[in-house]
């Protein structure tokens, strides 16, 4: 994965993920604002719609990619060289845990619906 997210490829991934996020969040907000939700069961049905659920999973992955590229670049630019490896390991572990929890939470919404 490190070769995929270095140099120009990392720059492009970050820009593409930023564009996706820029489009996804307002559209998701409009979609949810236009739903009639009066209780929890209706919310779960709305969140479990296939298009919404799949785009949300894509968004979670792109948030992780966007964060990885951005924070990795900051760490490489500002940390002393001996500490970069440990910091990147911590970052990767933290993002992996976050992404796993986010996917687990999204999956549980789908299963409950």
């Amino acid at each position: 994965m490190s070769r995929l997210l270095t140099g120009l490829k990392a720059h492009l991934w970050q820009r593409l993920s930023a564009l996706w996020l820029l489009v996804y969040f307002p559209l998701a907000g409009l979609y949810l604002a236009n739903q009639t939700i009066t209780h929890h069961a209706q919310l779960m049905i709305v969140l479990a719609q296939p298009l919404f659920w799949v785009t949300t999973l894509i968004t979670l992955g792109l948030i992780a990619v966007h964060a990885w590229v951005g924070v990795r670049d900051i760490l490489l630019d500002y940390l002393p060289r001996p500490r970069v490896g440990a910091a990147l390991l911590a970052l990767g572990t933290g993002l992996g845990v976050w992404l796993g929890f986010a996917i687990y939470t999204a999956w549980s919404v789908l299963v409950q619906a």
Side-chain angles (χ1 to χ4, degrees):
M1 182 163 172
S2 64
R3 291 195 193 279
L4 179 65
L5 293 176
T6 59
L8 180 60
K9 290 178 185 173
H11 177 78
L12 291 174
W13 269 105
Q14 190 161 39
R15 296 308 177 253
L16 290 173
S17 64
L19 286 174
W20 176 274
L21 298 173
L22 188 66
V23 170
Y24 172 81
F25 282 111
L27 290 179
L30 286 172
Y31 172 71
L32 292 173
N34 288 324
Q35 301 297 318
T36 304
I37 301 171
T38 57
H39 57 290
H40 185 261
Q42 285 179 331
L43 176 62
M44 292 297 109
I45 291 170
V46 167
L47 294 180
Q49 296 300 314
L51 182 61
F52 186 77
W53 194 79
V54 169
T55 56
T56 300
L57 282 181
I58 292 169
T59 301
L60 291 173
L62 288 176
I63 287 172
V65 167
H66 192 83
W68 169 261
V69 172
V71 176
R72 185 205 55 157
D73 287 348
I74 291 170
L75 292 175
L76 289 173
D77 288 344
Y78 294 108
L79 276 185
R81 210 57 173 158
R83 296 187 180 166
V84 170
L88 289 177
L89 180 62
L91 172 64
T93 303
L95 282 173
V97 169
W98 174 84
L99 185 59
F101 180 74
I103 290 172
Y104 170 78
T105 304
W107 184 263
S108 66
V109 166
L110 181 67
V111 171
Q112 283 181 1

